[in-house]
Amino acid sequence: MRNCLVIGKPNAGKTLFILNFAEYLGFKNIEIKSIKNDEKVEVKKYSTEEAKRILSSSVPYKTTCLQSIEIEIPILKGRKIIKIIDSSGLIDGIHKDVKIRRAMGQTLGALRESDIILHIIDISKLNYNNVIESIGEVDYQLIKYGAIKEGYAILGNKIDLLERKTPIIQLQKEFSDHYIIPISALLKRGFGEVKSYVSRRL
Ligand SMILES: Nc1nc2c(ncn2[C@@H]2O[C@H](COP(=O)(O)OP(=O)(O)OP(=O)(O)O)[C@@H](O)[C@H]2O)c(=O)[nH]1
Ligand SMILES: [Mg+2]
């Protein structure tokens, strides 16, 4: 089974994206497998609504370990199961909390083993006059890594908060070698394009 890792800074919208994407693909109930930092595996069943309430938060560092779901996705002929992996947010520098540092190490470890990487960037926070600087070091390094990795795409999230399209255009201009999909994880916008991108790689 191919896997798809969702990465990005804390609060970028990774968890909400995955849960709403599962809903978009027709799933009302999901099973989430958490791989704790001590390697213990925990499996829990949720309705997607319940999972959104419990696992997504406006407070950053909500996800503190790899959490995967297996869902079916339509491909050219039929459907295929894919593992979508949520991860804890990455930050510039070193976090003071050892638990969060370990969680970030676990995210970085998963990068190498992933077939598809969806890098979520909150574009409502970008300063479109200076995209590179406002994007920060960690997102910049992930984008550089993505340039040499097959199956890497950027999801420019929270487009529902934008008054104008300028941040999307600037991001596309700055990183023209990359595949960038503007989305709203909240309103499920851009999900058709994400589905096509992922299913083309299965
Ligand atoms: N307006 C808006 N809010 C969003 C969108 N996507 C996520 N959010 C909000 O952003 C906050 C963070 O979302 P999460 O999905 O928990 O973020 P995360 O990237 O998983 O964060 P960590 O687990 O802390 O790394 C929540 O309050 C979401 O409701 C979006 O497209 N639009
Ligand atoms: Mg999360």
Side-chain angles (χ1 to χ4, degrees):
M1 187 194 327
R2 301 212 100 192
N3 67 56
C4 166
L5 178 69
V6 179
I7 49 165
K9 282 185 189 159
N11 213 247
K14 301 176 292 299
T15 303
L16 187 62
F17 163 73
I18 293 172
L19 297 172
N20 269 344
F21 191 57
E23 259 183 18
Y24 172 82
L25 293 171
F27 291 83
K28 287 198 171 71
N29 294 292
I30 46 167
E31 196 174 84
I32 299 186
K33 192 174 176 185
S34 304
I35 303 170
K36 306 279 177 189
N37 287 312
D38 54 8
E39 296 294 315
K40 252 211 231 138
V41 177
E42 191 183 275
V43 182
K44 274 192 186 164
K45 288 182 179 170
Y46 298 89
S47 70
T48 47
E49 279 306 328
E50 191 184 13
K52 281 190 263 181
R53 259 195 330 271
I54 298 173
L55 304 175
S56 166
S57 165
S58 57
V59 181
Y61 306 109
K62 180 69 183 170
T63 308
T64 53
C65 68
L66 295 176
Q67 296 180 336
S68 64
I69 58 168
E70 289 176 18
I71 50 173
E72 264 190 344
I73 191 163
I75 53 166
L76 208 56
K77 282 182 190 164
R79 300 170 78 79
K80 224 169 188 180
I81 297 177
I82 182 173
K83 186 190 274 189
I84 302 191
I85 308 167
D86 192 4
S87 61
S88 30
L90 296 169
I91 55 160
D92 301 337
I94 298 166
H95 198 278
K96 58 180 183 324
D97 185 338
V98 67
K99 194 175 166 218
I100 291 174
R101 284 206 302 275
R102 281 206 194 113
M104 287 184 202
Q106 198 194 30
T107 302
L108 292 172
L111 262 181
R112 264 174 284 130
E113 289 154 27
S114 50
D115 302 304
I116 298 168
I117 297 173
L118 299 178
H119 178 188
I120 303 213
I121 297 177
D122 176 353
I123 51 173
S124 71
K125 291 214 179 102
L126 280 189
N127 170 1
Y128 50 84
N129 290 315
N130 194 342
V131 171
I132 299 279
E133 208 160 277
S134 68
I135 214 164
E137 189 58 23
V138 78
D139 275 336
Y140 186 68
Q141 291 302 333
L142 287 172
I143 292 171
K144 268 180 34 187
Y145 177 73
I148 52 157
K149 175 100 183 167
E150 269 288 304
Y152 167 91
I154 297 170
L155 307 188
N157 191 29
K158 308 199 186 180
I159 56 168
D160 57 291
L161 297 177
L162 300 179
E163 279 168 19
R164 280 169 286 150
K165 283 192 167 170
T166 326
I168 304 172
I169 296 165
Q170 286 304 97
L171 192 69
Q172 282 165 336
K173 222 188 225 169
E174 207 62 68
F175 303 108
S176 54
D177 294 345
H178 288 81
Y179 196 76
I180 302 175
I181 309 174
I183 66 159
S184 166
L186 184 67
L187 304 182
K188 301 179 183 159
R189 279 163 62 188
F191 279 22
E193 205 177 333
V194 179
K195 184 178 84 178
S196 307
Y197 181 83
V198 172
S199 54
R200 279 201 301 275
R201 278 158 187 84
L202 296 180

